Amino acid sequence: MGRGLYVISYKPKYKPVLTENVLKIARKTTERFEDITYCIWESQWLNEFTQHQASNQMIVVEVEKEFTESLYYFLNDSLRMDFFLNPDEKEIEFYISESNVPVVIKRLVTRAPISKIKDKKSVVPIATLEKIMVDLFADENLFHFYQGSELIYIFERILNRYSINLTKLFSYAKRRKKEQEIKQFISKHIPNFLEDIQYD
């Protein structure tokens, strides 16, 4: 589960299904920017963990800071989707909520936990569940429909179903300046989870 952390149980690693929209964006990004570090994920993946199914889908593409604008303009010119670059509160409220499949492009935090999925010819870098959990917690405006009791429910379901590396989770939370808050959140709302961990 992390450096020096063990739990006596078997849980599978998370492997989401990649939609055609995600594959299109990944193919275009790799085709144009061969060596950049980026990752992609979509809110639809969370339907497995939520109490209420969100009606709107959103795809999130995160890329190294210096490439955010170039990628935004390139994808906007290449694909018929609604792209948003680092949206503010107003854009999130008025435009993203109205779009069928909004694609948000934002800066990738360095050393963020990413994994890769092979799909036919493509290798797609995706956000891990550890990253998604921290982002949902940290980006309250962007993920406003997953806050409150819904966020507690999502965390519970993820921790119960899948193998989560706590070192990765807390290390990324620290980079996003949310380490203590997320630890308190888990201790308060999912206390049994932390009690089951064996420390070496």
Side-chain angles (χ1 to χ4, degrees):
M1 295 185 73
R3 206 174 294 117
L5 295 178
Y6 301 88
V7 70
I8 303 169
S9 73
Y10 170 75
K11 290 176 188 171
K13 283 209 162 194
Y14 180 65
K15 191 178 177 186
V17 174
L18 303 180
T19 58
E20 193 48 45
N21 280 335
V22 164
L23 290 169
K24 267 186 212 168
I25 293 169
R27 279 194 290 266
K28 280 284 176 195
T29 302
T30 309
E31 174 191 305
R32 176 71 180 81
F33 303 94
E34 203 177 333
D35 296 322
I36 62 168
T37 302
Y38 79 97
C39 77
I40 187 167
W41 69 279
E42 60 182 323
S43 62
Q44 210 173 327
W45 297 356
L46 296 169
N47 287 346
E48 181 184 342
F49 311 113
T50 53
Q51 273 178 303
H52 309 101
Q53 305 289 290
S55 53
N56 54 336
Q57 299 169 18
M58 177 166 61
I59 295 172
V60 180
V61 183
E62 292 173 78
V63 64
E64 294 170 77
K65 186 181 177 182
E66 56 270 33
F67 292 102
T68 49
E69 284 193 22
S70 313
L71 183 63
Y72 166 75
Y73 289 117
F74 172 70
L75 291 176
N76 207 22
D77 290 342
S78 310
L79 297 170
R80 285 187 168 184
M81 295 183 200
D82 296 333
F83 290 94
F84 299 90
L85 178 63
N86 298 320
D88 58 23
E89 203 170 333
K90 187 180 172 185
E91 282 179 293
I92 291 165
E93 191 180 339
F94 291 103
Y95 302 110
I96 290 183
S97 337
E98 296 302 312
S99 170
N100 285 333
V101 186
V103 183
V104 171
I105 295 177
K106 56 202 283 281
R107 182 179 71 86
L108 180 68
V109 174
T110 52
R111 299 207 296 276
I114 295 170
S115 64
K116 292 185 177 180
I117 287 190
K118 278 189 180 179
D119 183 273
K120 297 168 190 167
K121 295 175 186 175
S122 315
V123 176
V124 182
I126 62 161
T128 62
L129 277 180
E130 291 88 352
K131 179 177 181 343
I132 291 170
M133 288 167 78
V134 174
D135 289 343
L136 290 179
F137 186 86
D139 298 325
E140 291 177 52
N141 286 339
L142 187 57
F143 302 113
H144 56 89
F145 32 86
Y146 296 117
Q147 298 306 310
S149 59
E150 191 69 273
L151 189 63
I152 298 166
Y153 194 80
I154 290 169
F155 269 55
E156 279 180 335
R157 296 285 286 266
I158 288 176
L159 293 170
N160 285 332
R161 288 185 184 184
Y162 291 103
S163 172
I164 295 298
N165 184 313
L166 291 182
T167 302
K168 278 185 187 174
L169 178 78
F170 295 136
S171 158
Y172 178 59
K174 189 175 185 177
R175 297 192 73 70
R176 297 220 54 192
K177 299 181 170 52
K178 292 288 178 182
E179 184 185 15
Q180 292 313 313
E181 289 102 313
I182 214 163
K183 280 180 176 174
Q184 286 162 9
F185 178 82
I186 293 173
S187 297
K188 181 180 176 184
H189 298 292
I190 319 162
N192 297 342
F193 173 74
L194 292 175
E195 284 166 15
D196 289 342
I197 296 170
Q198 304 295 313
Y199 292 85
D200 184 25

